[in-house]
Amino acid sequence: MQKIDSYDFSGKRAIVRVDFNVPLNENFQITDDTRIRAAIPTLKKVLEKGGSLIIMSHLGRPKGPTGKYSLKHIIGAIEEKLGTKIKFAPDCMGAEAAELSKNLKPGEVLLLENLRFYAEEEGKPRDLAEDASDDVKKVAKAEMKEKQKEFTKKLASYADCYINDAFGTAHRAHASTALIAKYFPNDKMFGYVMEGEIVAIDKVLKSPVHPVTAIIGGAKVSSKIAIIEKLFDVVDNMIIGGGMVFTFIKAQGGKIGKSLCEDDQMELALSIIEKAKQKNVKLYFSGDVIIADAFSNDANTQICADNKIPDGWMGMDVAPATLKEWEAVLRASKTVLWNGPVGVFEMPKFANGTTGIAKILADITSTGVFTLVGGGDSVAAVTQMGFADKVSYVSTGGGAMLEYLEGIELPGIKAIREA
Ligand code: AMP
C-alpha cells in the first residue's frame, strides 16, 4: 500500500474511484455538491505532482445506460472546482475510453461515464426473471463473475496506479471499489476522503479520549442494534433518542401511545439495557418528550414523560428539559459520536431537539471535544445549520460508516491494505 503524499505520480495515469453520486434536480442541476468538493484535494494532488487523472464513479441506480444518470451532467461542476477542462468518455468500456486514457498527458483529466451502466460494476445479473430456477440463477451468477473480471481488467488497463477515494461505497465489493486493486499490487492507495474517514472513525473506535458519549437516534432500533452493541465496548455514555427510543420505553412497561415502536424488537431492547449494565455504560433515554396528536407539523402538541404518553398521541421530539440533561452529559465528554436525528426533524415543529444537538456539538468542539457526525440525516442537520465545519468531522459515507462502526472490515479498505 502506498500513500498519496509520498507516491511519485510524475508521468503516471491515476485511476481514481470517487463518489460523485450527487443529487440532481429535474433540470440535471446539482443540488448538493459536497461529494465533489470533498474529492478535489485528492484530484488536485495527483495533478500537482505531475500525474494525469482518470476519474470514475457511479451515479444513481441505473439498470443500464440512460441519459438521466449520465455523468455528463456534472462535467461543468468538476471543471469549475478543479480549475481545468476535462475530457469525457461516454462509455467506460468503449474504444474511446481506452484511446483517451492511453493518450493522457500530465495534468490532463478524463472522466469515465457512469460505471453502473454496466451490471459488471456491481457484479449482479440484471435480467434474471424473479421466478428463475436456482440452477439458472447459479449459471447467470457464474457468467457475471467472469464478465466482471473482464470489466475490472479493462478499467485497470487504463492506468498506472489506483486511488480509492469513495468512502461512501467502501462497504461494497464492486469492480471499481475493491476488485480493481489487485491489478495494482504496488501502486494502490487511499485518497484524502478515505484517509480522513478512517482516521476520524478510528479516533472514536480505537483510541478515544474518555469520557466517550454516543448519541444514537433515528427511526428503527433494528437498523442500529449492531452499532449499539459494538459501541458498548468503547463508550461511557449512550444517549438513545428519536423514534427508536419508544421500543425501549414500551419494553420496560411504559405507555407510549401511538409512538413508533418495533414490537418484535422489545426483547432485544431489554437485552441491550442488560448489556449496557454489564459493560458499565450509562444509558440515557428521552425522559420528557414533545408529543403530538398526529404525524404532522400542524398537530397539537404537549410535553409529557416518555413512559406516560396518552392514547392517540405520539412522541415526536425530545423536550427542552431532557435536552438540557443530555447537554450536561455532552459537555462532560471528551469524544462524541452522533448518528441519527433525535426527532422528526423534517417537520420544523419537531426539529428543535436535532438542531439543539447540532448546536451543542458545534459549541463543545470549540472547547476541544472531538465530535464525529455520521449518518444521512444527522449530516443533513449539521449541514443545513451551517455547522458542518464547526464539528470535528462529518462522515460522508452513511452505510459505509455504519458498517465500519459495527466493526466490519470494509472491502474497499481491505483491498487497498492487503498485500
Ligand atoms: P434513520 O434513517 O433510522 O436514522 O431514521 C431517520 C428518521 O427517523 C428521520 O426521517 C426522522 O424523521 C425519524 N424519526 C426521528 N424521531 C422520530 C420519532 N419520534 N417518530 C418517528 N420518526 C422519527
Side-chain angles (χ1 to χ4, degrees), residues 218-220 223-224 242-243 246 260 295 315-316 340-341 343-346 377:
K220 291 189 164 174
S223 63
K224 307 273 163 95
F246 300 105
L260 203 64
F295 192 74
M316 298 288 275
V344 186
F345 81 113
E346 295 91 338
D377 288 329

Side-chain angles (χ1 to χ4, degrees), residues 85-313:
K85 281 268 161 210
I86 65 175
K87 299 171 198 284
F88 181 62
D91 173 356
C92 69
M93 288 287 108
E96 211 178 331
E99 194 59 24
L100 284 168
S101 57
K102 201 166 92 191
N103 296 323
L104 276 182
K105 295 188 190 59
E108 289 187 340
V109 184
L110 169 65
L111 172 69
L112 301 180
E113 180 56 287
N114 195 342
L115 298 167
R116 288 197 191 165
F117 283 0
Y118 284 84
E120 285 85 340
E121 162 63 358
E122 292 172 278
K124 275 193 233 130
R126 277 189 183 147
D127 40 14
L128 259 181
E130 288 230 346
D131 56 355
S133 70
D134 286 349
D135 280 349
V136 169
K137 282 186 189 157
K138 219 165 141 186
V139 171
K141 275 189 192 154
E143 274 175 15
M144 176 49 75
K145 239 189 155 166
E146 284 311 306
K147 282 173 142 182
Q148 191 183 37
K149 265 188 210 154
E150 290 310 309
F151 177 85
T152 313
K153 202 165 150 185
K154 182 133 192 214
L155 285 178
S157 75
Y158 298 159
D160 306 299
C161 58
Y162 168 63
I163 303 177
N164 188 351
D165 211 19
F167 185 73
T169 47
H171 57 320
R172 305 279 178 235
H174 294 164
S176 68
T177 61
L179 307 184
I180 192 173
K182 77 162 194 242
Y183 293 95
F184 303 94
N186 302 310
D187 302 276
K188 56 182 179 174
M189 64 211 92
F190 295 127
Y192 293 124
V193 174
M194 285 285 273
E195 266 184 15
E197 294 274 354
I198 295 168
V199 168
I201 303 176
D202 283 353
K203 233 173 167 162
V204 175
L205 275 194
K206 300 196 174 147
S207 52
V209 184
H210 289 270
V212 183
T213 301
I215 311 160
I216 306 291
K220 291 189 164 174
V221 192
S222 48
S223 63
K224 307 273 163 95
I225 295 287
I227 301 185
I228 292 178
E229 294 197 342
K230 172 77 187 166
L231 286 176
F232 279 169
D233 292 334
V234 180
V235 303
D236 305 283
N237 310 300
M238 185 174 288
I239 294 171
I240 295 186
M244 66 187 220
V245 78
F246 300 105
T247 303
F248 288 89
I249 306 297
K250 186 170 174 189
Q252 296 173 94
K255 273 187 70 207
I256 61 164
K258 57 174 181 176
S259 304
L260 203 64
C261 183
E262 288 172 279
D263 284 331
D264 58 343
Q265 300 291 325
M266 288 206 292
E267 256 180 55
L268 206 63
L270 289 178
S271 79
I272 287 179
I273 294 172
E274 200 42 50
K275 252 189 209 141
K277 274 188 205 142
Q278 283 163 15
K279 300 245 173 186
N280 252 332
V281 173
K282 197 152 176 13
L283 280 185
Y284 293 84
F285 296 121
S286 36
D288 282 350
V289 285
I290 297 176
I291 57 172
D293 58 357
F295 192 74
S296 155
N297 198 47
D298 304 321
N300 295 307
T301 62
Q302 46 175 312
I303 289 177
C304 110
D306 60 6
N307 57 358
K308 295 192 177 63
I309 301 178
D311 289 343
W313 291 70

